């Protein structure tokens, strides 16, 4: 458990030094908000393809450490290229390689962690909270660092942390296949026949798309409204630090009131935050609302992984986790980041958050309806 906790700590520390700042990184290169949104949409588009492919490959090879190791090396090497090239064609080519390997790491890691946790008797939340802690530390420190020295070196920090991460990957426990070898067609067929899983993915896309857009455009929100950008790291750190206890609380709530009700509550909290960002334009209120963001994210991220796990079989664990990530974060990010940039350029950042609030309110309602229908089926059965 300690090695897995260390792995999550380093993985999310690496993510924290670039994810909150990629929009500002490309904005400082001279790209418009619309082009920045399209670049980030390309990252999401690549993940839609790469995550299921890497998940199927993982389930067939039953060697997640090897795939994680390759990804941990390849992603930062591609990321360094963003520093040396300014032209859009080069940025697009580098994005293809960077997004392919980087986007697969989290869902593959989650599948791996859930499997090890079931075998060794600990919850996924007890591991995932270490990622939340490191993200808080990294986002807080890097916010002040980048505001003083600029955003052009973010991928060098990402490379340095990933070098440490590769060493930890070599120390992770191994897993053994618990199922017969199957064809790719059998794996895919099993997934697409799982109607409850597909319904869950569809509902979750609205929530996760909103979260992805917020990650990408909160820095632009700060910039467009004239907020002090040195506080941006603090904003992400506030959200991340509250996630640490909330990952444990979400696991307890799931057992007490049910997973879908936890997800419904999380989406409602997101909706409240986004509507308040639409109504008010105050930097300190925005920082305070990041507490709601952290609570909601811990509820969503921790619970969704467990829901996906409950729908999967031994031979589709990584496939379903990566497919879920591809549709919710990936496809949702494609649509959201592309239209998000256009909305900000033409209508302003506050209207974008009103739209996100509507999405999350709708998702909250659908989660609750699904929860009631599941309870009705269980009683009648």
């Amino acid at each position: 458990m300690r090695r897995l906790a260390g792995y999550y700590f380093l993985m999310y520390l690496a993510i924290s030094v670039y994810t909150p700042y990629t929009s500002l990184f490309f904005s400082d290169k001279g790209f418009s908000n619309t082009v920045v949104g399209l670049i980030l949409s390309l990252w999401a588009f690549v993940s839609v393809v790469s995550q299921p492919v890497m998940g199927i490959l993982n389930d067939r090879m039953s060697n997640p450490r090897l795939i994680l190791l390759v990804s941990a090396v390849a992603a930062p090497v591609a990321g360094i290229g963003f520093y040396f090239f300014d032209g859009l064609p080069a940025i697009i080519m580098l994005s293809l390689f960077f997004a392919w390997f980087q986007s697969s790491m989290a869902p593959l890691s989650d599948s791996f962690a859930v499997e090890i946790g079931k075998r060794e008797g600990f919850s996924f939340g007890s591991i995932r909270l270490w990622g939340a802690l490191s993200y808080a530390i990294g986002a807080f420190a890097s916010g002040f660092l980048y505001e003083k020295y600029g955003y052009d070196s973010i991928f060098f920090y990402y490379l340095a942390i990933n070098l440490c991460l590769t060493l930890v990957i070599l120390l992770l426990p191994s897993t053994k296949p618990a199922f017969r070898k199957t064809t790719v067609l059998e794996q895919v067929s099993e997934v697409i026949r799982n109607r409850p899983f597909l319904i869950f993915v569809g509902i979750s896309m609205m929530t996760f798309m909103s979260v992805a857009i917020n990650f990408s455009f909160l820095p632009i929100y700060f910039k467009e409204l004239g907020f002090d950008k040195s506080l941006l790291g603090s904003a992400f750190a506030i959200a991340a630090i509250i996630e640490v206890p909330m990952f444990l609380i979400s696991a307890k709530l799931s057992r007490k009131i049910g997973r879908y009700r936890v997800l419904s509550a999380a989406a409602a909290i997101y909706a409240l935050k986004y509507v308040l960002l639409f109504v008010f334009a105050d930097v300190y209120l925005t920082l305070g609302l990041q507490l709601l963001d952290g609570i909601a994210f811990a509820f969503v991220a921790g619970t969704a992984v467990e829901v996906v796990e409950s729908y999967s079989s031994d031979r589709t664990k990584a496939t379903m986790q990566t497919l879920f990530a591809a549709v919710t974060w990936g496809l949702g990010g494609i649509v959201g980041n592309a239209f998000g940039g256009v909305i900000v350029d033409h209508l302003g950042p506050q209207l974008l958050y009103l739209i996100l609030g509507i999405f999350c309110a709708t998702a909250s309602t659908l989660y609750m309806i699904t929860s009631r229908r599941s309870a009705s089926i269980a009683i009648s059965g």
Side-chain angles (χ1 to χ4, degrees), residues 81-92:
F82 292 127
Y83 176 81
F84 294 102
F85 296 95
D86 295 322
L88 186 59
I91 296 296
I92 290 174

Side-chain angles (χ1 to χ4, degrees), residues 188-201:
V188 173
S189 178
E190 181 177 330
V191 172
I192 63 177
R193 291 198 310 267
N194 195 323
R195 187 168 176 268
F197 169 71
L198 297 180
I199 293 174
F200 174 67
V201 171

Side-chain angles (χ1 to χ4, degrees), residues 71-113:
S71 299
V73 173
V77 170
I80 290 297
F82 292 127
Y83 176 81
F84 294 102
F85 296 95
D86 295 322
L88 186 59
I91 296 296
I92 290 174
M93 289 300 298
L94 289 168
S95 292
L96 296 176
F97 291 97
F98 176 79
W100 181 277
F101 293 103
Q102 187 278 329
S103 65
S104 301
M105 289 192 67
L108 288 174
S109 301
D110 292 346
S111 175
F112 182 64

Side-chain angles (χ1 to χ4, degrees), residues 114-334:
V114 170
E115 182 176 354
I116 297 299
K118 289 173 64 176
R119 188 177 73 190
E120 299 186 7
F122 57 83
S123 68
F124 172 74
S126 65
I127 293 297
R128 182 59 178 80
L129 65 85
W130 290 99
L133 177 61
S134 66
Y135 192 94
I137 295 171
F140 179 78
S142 59
F144 291 100
L145 183 68
Y146 297 150
E147 182 63 19
K148 183 175 182 179
Y149 297 106
Y151 301 96
D152 59 340
S153 298
I154 62 176
F155 289 100
F156 285 98
Y157 293 104
Y158 178 61
L159 173 63
I161 298 172
N162 268 48
L163 291 176
C164 299
L165 183 65
T166 57
L167 299 178
V168 176
I169 292 174
L170 297 174
L171 300 176
L172 291 177
S174 61
T175 58
K176 296 181 179 180
F179 54 90
R180 64 179 179 85
K181 291 290 184 180
T182 60
T183 66
V184 172
L185 183 60
E186 287 177 315
Q187 285 177 280
V188 173
S189 178
E190 181 177 330
V191 172
I192 63 177
R193 291 198 310 267
N194 195 323
R195 187 168 176 268
F197 169 71
L198 297 180
I199 293 174
F200 174 67
V201 171
I203 298 173
S204 298
M205 181 178 173
M206 287 185 288
T207 303
F208 280 76
M209 178 175 65
S210 301
V211 176
I213 295 171
N214 177 61
F215 276 146
S216 298
F217 285 94
L218 186 63
I220 300 298
Y221 181 87
F222 265 67
K223 181 180 178 180
E224 294 292 326
L225 294 180
F227 294 167
D228 183 356
K229 293 197 296 296
S230 68
L231 296 174
L232 185 59
S234 299
F236 284 102
I238 289 170
I241 198 65
I242 196 66
E243 291 173 18
V244 177
M246 287 299 154
F247 270 108
L248 293 177
I249 292 174
S250 69
K252 295 179 181 179
L253 276 177
S254 293
R255 291 191 294 269
K256 186 174 182 180
I257 67 174
R259 292 167 177 163
Y260 273 96
R261 290 184 178 180
V262 172
L263 291 170
S264 178
I269 293 171
Y270 270 129
L272 175 62
K273 175 203 168 178
Y274 296 148
V275 169
L276 289 174
L277 286 178
F278 163 71
V279 174
F280 301 101
D282 181 85
V283 65
Y284 295 107
L285 176 63
T286 302
L287 293 176
L289 291 176
Q290 287 297 97
L291 290 172
L292 296 181
D293 193 284
I295 294 170
F297 184 81
F299 285 3
V300 164
T303 307
V305 168
E306 293 178 348
V307 172
V308 174
E309 171 72 13
S310 71
Y311 287 135
S312 63
S313 67
D314 286 333
R315 64 183 183 181
T316 60
K317 291 181 183 298
T319 302
M320 283 192 169
Q321 293 288 356
T322 50
L323 178 62
F324 178 80
V327 174
T328 55
W329 290 109
L331 186 58
I334 292 171

Side-chain angles (χ1 to χ4, degrees), residues 43-55:
W43 291 17
F45 176 79
V46 173
S47 73
V48 171
V49 180
S50 68
Q51 289 173 340
V53 170
M54 297 290 270

